[in-house]
Amino acid sequence: MRVKYWYFLTVFFLLFAISGVKAEEKSEILIVGELVYKEFHDPGYVYFQTQENKGIEAAFYYRFISFEQIEKWIVGEKFERVLDAKKGAGIHRMAEGTFFKVVFAPEDNPIELLEKACLETALSTLGIAGCFHQSAERWNGESEYLFDELSQTASKTVYAQLSDARKKWLAYETSLMDSFYTYGQEQGGTIMRIHSASLRRELARSFFYQTVRFLE
């Protein structure tokens, strides 16, 4: 019981510390940077270039972007890489002001880029751990969005099995984190708060990319 109490108390203060950012997310889209559209390959991938001339590949699905829509995109036009408070990571077509859901590779995902920026400005153990906890919440939001989509499009059998798998995954996550918190108390030191927050983020990110496979 002491372990769980310590965990929830820690998370409470971390979420309180970043509540200002989360409140802002609810009212607007976070823009991570501009992209230039290059091309798309049917099926499945769309290509962009960053302002630093880095090529970006993202997976797209016709349930989120229709062929008629993507066919109208013009080579060289401007997009924004964004994180929407409700729909998660995606792109914003500046010409029409429309959000489109895509799946970036982890290193190109807005959540990862925002986390990196957060860590660069974090000045304390609590601040660093808060960056990781914030990312975990964002990855969990991504998974929730996919589950909402799959609840409408997957067969009842598949969705029931997937929902059961999620319950078991969450039980595993809780058990693993409880054991890590115990380990952290035994080892001592505030650095363990960073390690536990990082582990929580890794688990949330992993589950999202596992869930994405059910869109293919």
Side-chain angles (χ1 to χ4, degrees):
M1 181 66 72
R2 280 180 53 200
V3 174
K4 289 187 177 181
Y5 175 77
W6 176 84
Y7 163 62
F8 287 117
L9 187 63
T10 300
V11 173
F12 171 79
F13 282 114
L14 288 170
L15 293 181
F16 178 80
I18 61 177
S19 61
V21 177
K22 291 185 68 62
E24 182 181 2
E25 284 183 33
K26 292 180 181 179
S27 61
E28 62 181 44
I29 292 177
L30 297 180
I31 301 172
V32 180
E34 282 193 5
L35 299 172
V36 175
Y37 173 62
K38 305 300 290 185
E39 61 182 331
F40 80 95
H41 290 177
D42 183 27
Y45 293 94
V46 60
Y47 299 89
F48 298 93
Q49 185 171 308
T50 69
Q51 292 175 303
E52 296 75 30
N53 295 321
K54 177 187 176 182
I56 298 292
E57 176 187 88
F60 80 93
Y61 303 94
Y62 284 125
R63 68 182 69 211
F64 298 130
I65 307 174
S66 70
F67 181 81
E68 290 74 19
Q69 287 175 315
I70 199 169
E71 193 179 32
K72 295 178 181 178
W73 295 3
I74 302 170
V75 175
E77 73 168 294
K78 298 290 183 64
F79 282 74
E80 292 171 323
R81 183 167 23 179
V82 301
L83 186 68
D84 184 273
K86 295 181 178 179
K87 299 178 182 179
I91 52 176
H92 177 245
R93 190 184 183 201
M94 298 174 70
E96 60 182 359
T98 305
F99 173 91
F100 294 98
K101 183 69 176 176
V102 298
V103 177
F104 295 96
E107 64 272 14
D108 297 321
N109 194 291
I111 297 175
E112 294 290 294
L113 299 177
L114 289 168
E115 178 187 290
K116 181 179 178 181
C118 181
L119 291 172
E120 289 175 349
T121 59
L123 301 176
S124 65
T125 297
L126 191 64
I128 295 172
C131 294
F132 289 127
H133 277 296
Q134 186 178 60
S135 290
E137 291 299 312
R138 287 167 170 167
W139 284 117
N140 285 332
E142 284 277 74
S143 296
E144 286 293 333
Y145 183 78
L146 295 191
F147 263 83
D148 287 342
E149 167 64 23
L150 291 169
S151 70
Q152 303 175 45
T153 59
S155 68
K156 291 183 178 180
T157 300
V158 168
Y159 186 71
Q161 292 176 332
L162 183 58
S163 296
D164 182 61
R166 179 165 68 165
K167 290 179 182 178
K168 292 176 180 176
W169 173 271
L170 293 175
Y172 163 74
E173 178 181 336
T174 298
S175 178
L176 181 66
M177 294 305 299
D178 281 349
S179 64
F180 196 80
Y181 300 139
T182 302
Y183 175 71
Q185 287 185 319
E186 292 177 351
Q187 295 299 308
T190 57
I191 189 66
M192 297 306 297
R193 293 189 177 185
I194 295 176
H195 291 328
S196 63
S198 176
L199 176 58
R200 180 170 176 251
R201 182 261 283 150
E202 289 176 20
L203 290 167
R205 180 177 60 188
S206 175
F207 186 73
F208 167 74
Y209 282 107
Q210 293 174 48
T211 307
V212 162
R213 295 178 179 271
F214 287 85
L215 299 178
E216 297 174 352

